[in-house]
Amino acid sequence: MKFALFSLIQNIPNPVTGETLTAQEKFQHVLNQAVLAEKLGFDAYGVGERHGAPFLSSSPPVVLSAIAAKTSHIRLLTTVTVLSILDPVRVAEDYATLDHLSGGRLELIIGKGNDPRHYPLFGITEEEQWESLAERYALLKQLWTEENVTWSGRYRPPLTNVTTQPRPFQPSILVWHGSASSPLSTELAAKYGEPLFSSNSFHPQAKYKALIDHYRERFAYYGHDPRKAIVGSGTSSLYISNTAEEAIRRYRPYYNAFSNTEAAKHNQSPFTSLEDIVQHGPALVGSPEQIIEKIIDYHRAYGNEVLSISVDGLSEAEQREQLERFARDIAPVLRKEIPSSVWENKKKKTPF
């Protein structure tokens, strides 16, 4: 199994220490976290895209460019690029530039996003999100693979003989399709024969498994080799302690703080408490042995080769503690138990 560390750059007062970071301080923490992730042997670091509090992640290509300058081999992901609201010409230019600045370490995870606040900001309705995503992605692929593009569509002005600059550094930038709630996202991934990344954050395993199963069925339907139907999976939270009781006790203030944000309420999770999401959902809160067992259980359901984790919301000291424990106590076991060929030819050997 391969491992990615993701951040939405969530910036809320720390519920344990009371500390409130400035935006500048939070960005510096994110840069430090990415450097630490590379040092600890994580395979990838991802920055999400949100357009409202408590998140500061409205400009992933800018943040990832700063991370690229401070790292050397960790893969750089977007988690997700909300392509349903973005101009594909701007996306093609910005991310091709980042691809050069990172030496070809960029991969996109695209999606429609799950925060409705961005639709009025960028001039589309929530009902248009899937049609918009499909149209904009088709154009983005065309801009990255062809020159002198002439195009017309619904969601941006027509193009005539356009060749975006710079051209991507990599022969082909890998694009994953973010999946959280609808078979429309899994259908798009299957149609193009591209990998899927399940959010696996707020709902029971069965809901996400159904979407992943749909992806694999449609992947084969479109004539793609089923062995190339690659899946990644997220988690809702991570907190490792020596016992489950200690982990729940220490993590509870963070869980309560985020659960009270408007962003969390929008997710409409059916879990009623921290204990509920730990026992019946995707939260990785417990001892190393318990967390390993849960990750393996989810892998049996999903067949995922990549796992993403996040330590957003914790103090910087606790973030370091959690990432070091994950790298020491959990990742080596899962690398051995669950082989993965993803990124094998993309990065240097890791210390796990």
Side-chain angles (χ1 to χ4, degrees):
M1 182 169 279
K2 301 295 170 55
F3 301 99
L5 178 61
F6 286 0
S7 178
L8 280 169
I9 319 183
Q10 173 189 311
N11 195 29
I12 60 178
N14 187 289
V16 175
T17 67
E19 180 183 25
T20 300
L21 299 179
T22 66
Q24 169 67 14
E25 289 170 333
K26 184 63 179 181
F27 281 123
Q28 291 303 315
H29 282 199
V30 169
L31 298 182
N32 294 340
Q33 185 186 88
V35 171
L36 176 64
E38 180 171 89
K39 179 181 178 181
L40 292 175
F42 282 83
D43 301 277
Y45 190 89
V47 173
E49 179 179 343
R50 293 288 181 92
H51 295 275
F55 307 103
L56 303 178
S57 53
S58 57
S59 302
V62 178
V63 178
L64 288 170
S65 292
I67 291 172
K70 290 180 172 288
T71 56
S72 63
H73 60 268
I74 196 168
R75 301 296 293 172
L76 303 177
L77 276 62
T78 63
T79 57
V80 299
T81 295
V82 186
L83 191 57
S84 58
I85 60 172
L86 303 176
D87 181 355
V89 173
R90 183 79 263 180
V91 172
E93 294 170 338
D94 284 348
Y95 284 108
T97 300
L98 172 54
D99 197 37
H100 280 273
L101 295 175
S102 67
R105 290 186 277 144
L106 172 68
E107 296 179 12
L108 295 190
I109 303 178
I110 66 163
K112 53 85 179 174
N114 74 337
D115 188 336
R117 293 177 294 179
H118 53 231
Y119 297 114
L121 287 176
F122 293 92
I124 72 167
T125 66
E126 192 165 358
E127 291 72 27
E128 295 175 296
Q129 59 187 333
W130 295 111
E131 180 182 348
S132 173
L133 176 63
E135 178 185 291
R136 293 174 199 251
Y137 184 50
L139 176 55
L140 176 63
K141 286 186 70 70
Q142 190 174 0
L143 291 169
W144 269 349
T145 57
E146 300 177 20
E147 299 182 356
N148 302 315
V149 172
T150 296
W151 174 94
S152 64
R154 179 178 178 184
Y155 293 102
R156 64 145 293 126
L159 302 175
T160 303
N161 294 327
V162 170
T163 302
T164 56
Q165 297 293 340
R167 310 305 292 161
F169 177 78
Q170 297 175 84
S172 177
I173 294 175
L174 183 63
V175 176
W176 301 69
H177 294 252
S179 170
S181 60
S182 171
L184 293 174
S185 58
T186 51
E187 184 77 16
L188 194 66
K191 175 182 175 181
Y192 285 106
E194 293 171 334
L196 187 78
F197 217 109
S198 172
S199 68
N200 189 45
S201 298
F202 307 111
H203 296 278
Q205 184 185 93
K207 176 175 181 176
Y208 298 112
K209 184 180 186 304
L211 290 167
I212 292 169
D213 289 347
H214 174 263
Y215 161 68
R216 288 201 166 96
E217 291 167 6
R218 300 299 289 175
F219 196 93
Y221 169 84
Y222 283 109
H224 305 298
D225 183 346
R227 293 171 298 180
K228 296 182 179 180
I230 304 300
V231 173
S233 172
T235 59
S236 64
S237 50
L238 173 75
Y239 207 98
I240 311 163
S241 292
N242 293 332
T243 67
E245 293 76 17
E246 180 187 4
I248 288 174
R249 176 180 59 80
R250 293 182 63 183
Y251 185 67
R252 188 181 303 280
Y254 299 108
Y255 173 82
N256 290 341
F258 180 69
S259 297
N260 288 326
T261 65
E262 290 303 315
K265 293 174 184 177
H266 170 72
N267 293 321
Q268 298 181 330
S269 175
F271 300 111
T272 58
S273 66
L274 175 56
E275 286 80 2
D276 189 20
I277 197 171
V278 169
Q279 183 175 356
H280 301 112
L284 301 178
V285 179
S287 69
E289 295 77 17
Q290 290 169 320
I291 290 172
I292 289 169
E293 182 180 353
K294 175 174 278 191
I295 292 171
I296 291 174
D297 174 71
Y298 272 72
H299 168 73
R300 291 192 187 106
Y302 299 166
N304 58 301
E305 294 189 38
V306 179
L307 177 75
S308 70
I309 63 169
S310 175
V311 289
D312 274 2
L314 306 184
S315 69
E316 190 171 30
E318 282 185 292
Q319 288 182 13
R320 176 178 287 273
E321 173 197 1
Q322 291 300 309
L323 295 177
E324 288 176 345
R325 289 203 67 169
F326 187 91
R328 183 186 70 237
D329 300 336
I330 294 175
V333 177
L334 295 171
R335 285 191 185 278
K336 183 178 180 181
E337 291 289 325
I338 304 172
S340 171
S341 61
V342 176
W343 301 321
E344 280 298 302
N345 62 342
K346 299 283 190 179
K347 67 185 291 298
K348 300 176 182 177
K349 186 177 180 180
T350 72
F352 288 158

